[in-house]
Amino acid sequence: MTLPARLGHLPWTRYHRKVAGTLALCFAFELADINSFAYVAPTVHHALNLGLRGISVVTAAGFLGMFAGATAGGRVAERAGRKRALRGSVLWFSVCSLATAGAFDTVSLLATRFLTGCGLGAMTVVAVTYLTELIPEHQRGRVQAGTLAVGLLGIPAMAFFARAVIGLGPQSWRLVFVFGALGVVPLVITRWLPESPAPRRVPGAPLRLLRGSFARRTIMLASVWIFLTLSYYGFASFAPTLLHEHGFTVTHSVGYTALTTLGAVPGALLAWPVADRFGLRGPVTVFSLMFAGAGVAYGLTFAPAAIVVFGFLVAALNQTLVALLYSHTPRLFPGEIRARATGLCYGAGRLANAFGPLLVGQISLSLGYTAVFVFVGACGAAIAVAVLTLAPRRSEEPVTLPSRR
């Protein structure tokens, strides 16, 4: 039995809790930083004379950076090791977030948000791969779910911090990005982490990612990540605006949307009891269809209570699916190409992030309010179809690279 396999069968210990806790703290700063620009956009709009189109472009630049970082981060993790790649990506996004605080025009803001996104995307890919390789096999799914749930607390932490400082003055928005730079705190703690016992690199292995059974897995996971991010971020970006356009006040629209975000943490924890027991196909299919139903239902009601309930379910089930994908994306590939494959699949979803809001906006303009949420539901159904047709029967089955001919 190989060293990674032996470590995968070790019992759960305090050591593993320390690993999960350290990476959860990294996730908290990463998720806080991803959402930081959304909270300061109205202020930056005036401070830097940034029009609505400029805000959209800067937002897209951040997601394009995450795509670049995710794909590059996987390669770096295979060459330099998981620990070094993790620490490097955390340092990168922390420094670039601090640089964003000093942005003085649209171009500098665009550049710093793109570079910050590179670090954020790389950190996610390396962290989920790292957890898969350090945590006992029978605990991997629930640990990924728990780590994500703790990390999601970074979003309200950033939101409340932004609310507290944004009114202090015309330049106070810069403090929000200084908060993002505090990612150097977990950087200090990660010094004690061990290197992952990943298998050695195999020449030509990355090319085999697009061949045979690996190609099916790559296509399936990339499709799932794309449909999930297209649907949820399109929904999250436009829900307050669409509600306002249909008669709700701005205060009520934002308030209802804020309440729905409370579903994120319990949603991630929903994956806890099923991720290690039932594999990938069943849980992802069931939760994606529930996600689709909640999205359609949201678009068919204008009762405040129903809007909050269905919006809560959309937010919760999105994070359930994210937790399951964090758990199973690395598992479906051997260690020789695990980080690279995870980066490619996750990065595809982040690339979709850059264009999702534009697509949803066009659907709203062309087809109307309800069509937006039918689109959300269709994406959820597409996730189920992709998993049922392309996923392996057992996600935990051992996978090895085919021999070279």
Side-chain angles (χ1 to χ4, degrees):
M1 183 181 290
T2 64
L3 176 59
R6 290 199 299 271
L7 291 177
H9 288 82
L10 290 175
W12 177 257
T13 65
R14 181 173 177 269
Y15 160 79
H16 295 111
R17 287 195 293 272
K18 289 177 64 178
V19 169
T22 301
L23 293 179
L25 188 59
C26 293
F27 272 117
F29 282 98
E30 181 249 358
L31 289 165
D33 206 311
I34 288 175
N35 291 272
S36 59
F37 185 68
Y39 300 121
V40 303
T43 304
V44 174
H45 170 70
H46 297 290
L48 298 182
N49 295 316
L50 195 66
L52 293 178
R53 184 179 297 275
I55 291 175
S56 299
V57 171
V58 171
T59 301
F63 286 123
L64 286 173
M66 293 187 72
F67 163 70
T71 52
R75 294 195 295 271
V76 172
E78 289 178 356
R79 291 178 179 273
R82 308 327 192 206
K83 177 182 176 179
R84 187 177 298 175
L86 176 73
R87 289 172 54 79
S89 61
V90 172
L91 178 62
W92 182 287
F93 81 69
S94 299
V95 170
C96 291
S97 183
L98 185 61
T100 305
F104 52 88
D105 60 11
T106 302
V107 174
S108 60
L109 183 63
L110 187 72
T112 52
R113 288 313 292 166
F114 174 82
L115 292 172
T116 303
C118 290
L120 296 171
M123 181 258 142
T124 300
V125 168
V126 177
V128 298
T129 304
Y130 196 33
L131 267 177
T132 295
E133 294 169 347
L134 290 182
I135 299 300
E137 183 177 353
H138 64 286
Q139 295 277 358
R140 287 171 184 166
R142 66 190 69 181
V143 171
Q144 292 278 14
T147 301
L148 175 60
V150 174
L152 285 166
L153 295 175
I155 297 177
M158 174 62 82
F160 282 111
F161 179 80
R163 182 179 179 182
V165 304
I166 210 70
L168 297 179
Q171 300 299 318
S172 60
W173 60 270
R174 299 180 187 277
L175 295 174
V176 173
F177 296 111
V178 174
F179 181 95
L182 294 178
V184 294
V185 173
L187 180 67
V188 174
I189 302 174
T190 56
R191 292 181 61 185
W192 74 271
L193 289 173
E195 183 51 83
S196 167
R200 64 181 178 85
R201 294 173 58 213
V202 176
L207 296 177
R208 304 183 190 190
L209 186 58
L210 301 177
R211 298 175 184 171
S213 63
F214 293 112
R216 289 172 59 90
R217 297 171 190 213
T218 302
I219 294 170
M220 181 271 296
L221 287 167
S223 299
V224 170
W225 276 113
I226 287 171
F227 285 124
L228 183 60
T229 53
L230 271 179
S231 57
Y232 181 71
Y233 283 95
F235 164 85
S237 298
F238 278 87
T241 301
L242 293 174
L243 288 174
H244 178 56
E245 289 181 352
H246 282 76
F248 293 94
T249 66
V250 173
T251 301
H252 285 151
S253 299
V254 175
Y256 296 153
T257 305
L259 288 174
T260 66
T261 63
L262 298 177
V265 172
L269 292 176
L270 266 179
W272 180 286
V274 301
D276 294 308
R277 295 184 60 191
F278 302 107
L280 173 70
R281 291 168 61 91
V284 171
T285 299
V286 171
F287 286 120
S288 64
L289 292 176
M290 292 172 64
F291 173 81
V296 173
Y298 186 99
L300 296 178
T301 181
F302 290 97
I307 287 173
V308 172
V309 169
F310 289 122
F312 182 96
L313 288 174
V314 169
L317 293 167
N318 171 73
Q319 293 301 334
T320 305
L321 290 167
V322 169
L324 290 170
L325 291 172
Y326 276 1
S327 171
H328 290 286
T329 299
R331 293 197 215 189
L332 290 181
F333 300 95
E336 297 90 339
I337 56 172
R338 180 176 292 133
R340 190 181 298 251
T342 302
L344 177 62
C345 297
Y346 175 81
R350 288 307 182 185
L351 182 61
N353 277 151
F355 305 102
L358 299 176
L359 175 60
V360 171
Q362 188 58 49
I363 291 174
S364 177
L365 290 173
S366 303
L367 301 175
Y369 176 89
T370 302
V372 170
F373 301 99
V374 171
F375 170 75
V376 172
C379 286
I383 292 172
V385 171
V387 170
L388 289 173
T389 56
L390 296 174
R393 290 287 175 180
R394 295 181 60 189
S395 64
E396 282 76 24
E397 65 179 346
V399 288
T400 56
L401 288 171
S403 58
R404 302 188 71 182
R405 296 182 182 277

